[in-house]
Amino acid sequence: MFEFNPTRPKWQQIAEEVRARIARGEYPVHGLISEVKLEAEFGVSRVTVRKATAALRAEGLIVTRQGMGSFVAGEGDT
């Protein structure tokens, strides 16, 4: 299980981990990033996961499609 640093917000640490996975290619371009799976993996609430995905969306690393989910951004996605 993921070890959180108690001195930093969990959502920041989750965003950092997802960012690293995108950089390593573990989440491919246009691949789905499931909030439900992140909740289960990190043992956090949906609100915490949504803060992390909001930060990644603000950085342009993911895009969210209403009713479909969040996906790794590719060229031309915004």
Side-chain angles (χ1 to χ4, degrees), residues 25-43:
E26 291 177 35
Y27 292 144
V29 172
H30 300 129
L32 176 67
I33 297 177
S34 168
E35 289 182 351
V36 173
K37 288 182 181 177
L38 291 175
E39 281 179 71
E41 177 183 352
F42 292 103

Side-chain angles (χ1 to χ4, degrees), residues 37-60:
K37 288 182 181 177
L38 291 175
E39 281 179 71
E41 177 183 352
F42 292 103
V44 297
S45 71
R46 177 73 58 101
V47 172
T48 301
V49 169
R50 287 194 173 162
K51 282 184 178 181
T53 57
L56 295 167
R57 190 170 37 257
E59 294 172 27

Side-chain angles (χ1 to χ4, degrees), residues 56-71:
L56 295 167
R57 190 170 37 257
E59 294 172 27
L61 291 175
I62 67 171
V63 293
T64 301
R65 308 259 187 256
Q66 187 172 358
M68 296 179 67
S70 295
F71 301 87

